[in-house]
Amino acid sequence: MKPDYDLYFKDAIETVKREGRYREFADILRQAGQFPCAKNYKTGQEVVVWCSNDYLGMGQNPDVIEACVATTKATGVGSGGTRNISGNSHSIMALEKELSNLHHKEASLVFTSGYVANDTTLTTLGHIMPDMVYLSDELNHASMIHGMRNSRRERLVYRHNDMTHLEELLASLPLNSPKVIACEAIYSMEGDISKLKDICDLADKYNAMTYLDEVHAVGMYGPTGAGIAEQLGVMHRISLIQGTLAKAFGVIGGYISGSATLIDAIRSYAPGFIFTTSLPPALAEAARISIQTVKSTPELRAKLHERVATLKSKLRSTNISFIDEPSHIMPVLVGNAVLCKEISKILLDEFSIYVQAINYPTVPKGAERLRITPTPLHTDQMMDDLVSALKDIFTRQCLSHAA
Ligand code: PLP
């Protein structure tokens, strides 16, 4: 009998619906110059967005928009193909130079997203070093896990940020065998910061390379916005820094920065570089201008951290439970998929506040949350509105649970 293909798909959808984690996203119309306000397309109402990863609002920065528009007009829309087939656009070369300057590395390589950068680089590192072992933080992002899995190399997972466990695992391996410690600078769902100095010390002691995902830190931490490694003074000790152009830099694309030899080797073997069309020149140029702007505007970082501190102190004065780590990511814990979606819906429908519910598999089941990310552009009034809406909803939920 012919397989009932539709049934497979219906069953898959039913499963997520049954578990209360069917994904529904608001239809948001961003309006240049209005961030963090946007329009709920369905209702026409203006909403305040509290869950954007455009952490500094650079996606609507006039100079970045102008760079994108002017380059599109000058060079066209697409990039014309993979770099293997169509060559390098000058804009991508200039962007890679900018990234190398930012991270004080010899070379950089741009990919179409941060996801692709992690996935293909970690796969390729494993292929280039067939006898290597990965040591991976248990909370590493899916793109890192997929890359390490695809490499088919051994992967030892250490408990999150647990340096004793990492050392135990390192010590279990021959001192002179190749190993790569892979971690994030800021963990995107918890908002906590990696113990990078300790990781670098352990890497030195056990002859390991270090691979650092700075996706949620570039632009926002360190004197020039190069990330947590810069802030902690260990940037020169990281073998390979990976980042995104899509979050604090407000555009799209991902990259790695490291030694010229390492970058050249990845460039020569990585399927996610070789077999996919490169980033269009206009986006590369927009990203380059964004990096330059962010780098030379420390006030933007100061403002971000002041806004984060203000919202945290407002939230601390309530009994709303949130993960209070020293970063700009503020997860409010809900711990139930259905409730999390319901709170997000009430925030949008009744209070014109958009905070997306974060459910499994982005976080483990039972750890559902609202992930709040203040930016330099959120005002005191917006914060008061958010806190008061959360208080109202959480009180109602407590009452309905107690009833
Ligand atoms: N690394 C981490 C830690 C992330 O959270 C994400 C995405 O949110 C990525 C990598 C992927 O980056 P991009 O959105 O540029 O694909």
Side-chain angles (χ1 to χ4, degrees):
M1 203 171 67
K2 188 179 161 203
D4 185 348
Y5 291 110
D6 234 26
L7 195 61
Y8 285 102
F9 305 128
K10 281 182 182 151
D11 274 357
I13 294 167
E14 263 323 299
T15 303
V16 283
K17 284 195 170 165
R18 214 173 27 249
E19 292 175 5
R21 56 184 180 90
Y22 179 63
R23 293 185 174 229
E24 287 162 289
F25 313 120
D27 185 349
I28 297 291
L29 184 66
R30 279 163 65 91
Q31 294 169 302
Q34 303 298 311
F35 189 77
C37 295
K39 210 170 230 176
N40 180 347
Y41 192 79
K42 215 161 92 187
T43 61
Q45 83 196 120
E46 182 168 279
V47 297
V48 177
V49 178
W50 278 103
C51 54
S52 177
N53 280 347
D54 186 353
Y55 292 128
L56 299 173
M58 291 304 290
Q60 297 184 10
N61 176 284
D63 295 338
V64 174
I65 296 174
E66 182 51 34
C68 191
V69 172
T71 313
T72 301
K73 284 192 173 154
T75 69
V77 176
S79 69
T82 69
R83 287 165 78 170
N84 247 33
I85 288 173
S86 313
N88 298 320
S89 72
H90 179 70
S91 303
I92 253 188
M93 306 282 285
L95 172 60
E96 286 172 347
K97 199 163 167 215
E98 192 69 50
L99 288 163
S100 302
N101 287 341
L102 177 70
H103 291 295
H104 299 192
K105 298 288 182 197
E106 288 172 355
S108 297
L109 193 63
V110 166
F111 301 86
T112 44
S113 73
Y115 190 104
V116 173
N118 269 336
D119 187 16
T120 203
T121 303
L122 289 164
T123 298
T124 306
L125 276 178
H127 290 163
I128 293 175
M129 297 186 284
D131 47 350
M132 65 97 84
V133 174
Y134 277 117
L135 294 111
S136 171
D137 188 287
E138 69 175 328
L139 290 192
N140 275 340
H141 189 255
S143 54
M144 299 173 73
I145 296 169
H146 289 164
M148 288 182 266
R149 281 199 183 131
N150 287 342
S151 76
R152 284 181 265 130
R153 297 297 155 243
E154 191 178 358
R155 183 170 58 101
L156 303 178
V157 178
Y158 62 93
R159 285 187 295 275
H160 178 52
N161 249 339
D162 183 336
M163 295 300 105
T164 311
H165 193 207
L166 174 59
E167 177 150 25
E168 256 170 50
L169 295 176
L170 282 165
S172 73
L173 299 167
L175 184 62
N176 289 327
S177 69
K179 23 190 131 51
V180 177
I181 305 172
C183 65
E184 294 181 26
I186 295 181
Y187 288 86
S188 62
M189 289 299 141
E190 309 299 312
D192 61 336
I193 295 180
S194 216
K195 296 175 182 159
L196 280 188
K197 271 192 183 138
D198 297 340
I199 289 175
C200 290
D201 290 346
L202 287 174
D204 287 347
K205 185 169 170 191
Y206 292 96
N207 296 331
M209 278 177 59
T210 43
Y211 181 98
L212 178 65
D213 173 318
E214 287 266 21
V215 159
H216 293 280
V218 278
M220 295 170 285
Y221 296 83
T224 67
I228 294 293
E230 184 191 34
Q231 180 166 295
L232 299 177
V234 296
M235 198 153 66
H236 60 289
R237 300 177 71 190
I238 307 291
S239 321
L240 207 44
I241 293 177
Q242 179 272 357
T244 184
L245 304 166
K247 299 190 195 303
F249 296 130
V251 188
I252 188 105
Y255 65 89
I256 51 170
S257 299
S259 75
T261 312
L262 180 43
I263 298 297
D264 200 19
I266 301 293
R267 192 185 67 87
S268 306
Y269 288 90
F273 174 78
I274 298 172
F275 296 110
T276 187
T277 298
S278 61
L279 205 67
L283 294 172
E285 187 57 12
R288 191 179 70 81
I289 296 300
S290 180
I291 296 167
Q292 276 187 351
T293 310
V294 165
K295 197 173 164 182
S296 60
T297 320
E299 309 87 66
L300 206 52
R301 278 180 285 289
K303 183 76 179 166
L304 169 76
H305 298 299
E306 178 277 317
R307 294 286 73 199
V308 170
T310 303
L311 182 59
K312 281 186 179 171
S313 87
K314 286 180 192 287
L315 265 186
R316 277 189 209 116
S317 68
T318 71
N319 56 2
I320 295 162
S321 137
F322 72 102
I323 303 179
D324 196 351
E325 292 286 348
S327 82
H328 62 288
I329 298 171
M330 300 172 55
V332 171
L333 290 172
V334 178
N336 176 294
V338 178
L339 196 57
C340 201
K341 272 181 71 173
E342 196 179 315
I343 294 174
S344 168
K345 185 169 178 340
I346 299 174
L347 278 171
L348 187 64
D349 293 347
E350 293 184 27
F351 297 93
S352 300
I353 287 172
Y354 181 41
V355 189
Q356 182 66 40
I358 308 281
N359 288 345
Y360 178 82
T362 312
V363 293
K365 288 178 186 169
E368 292 80 5
R369 62 198 62 188
L370 301 166
R371 181 178 176 276
I372 295 172
T373 49
T375 70
L377 297 153
H378 284 94
T379 62
D380 278 349
Q381 185 60 55
M382 289 172 184
M383 292 186 187
D384 290 339
D385 292 346
L386 172 70
V387 172
S388 135
L390 286 172
K391 262 163 58 182
D392 182 312
I393 299 170
F394 275 85
T395 311
R396 273 194 248 166
Q397 295 299 340
C398 281
L399 291 179
S400 68
H401 278 262

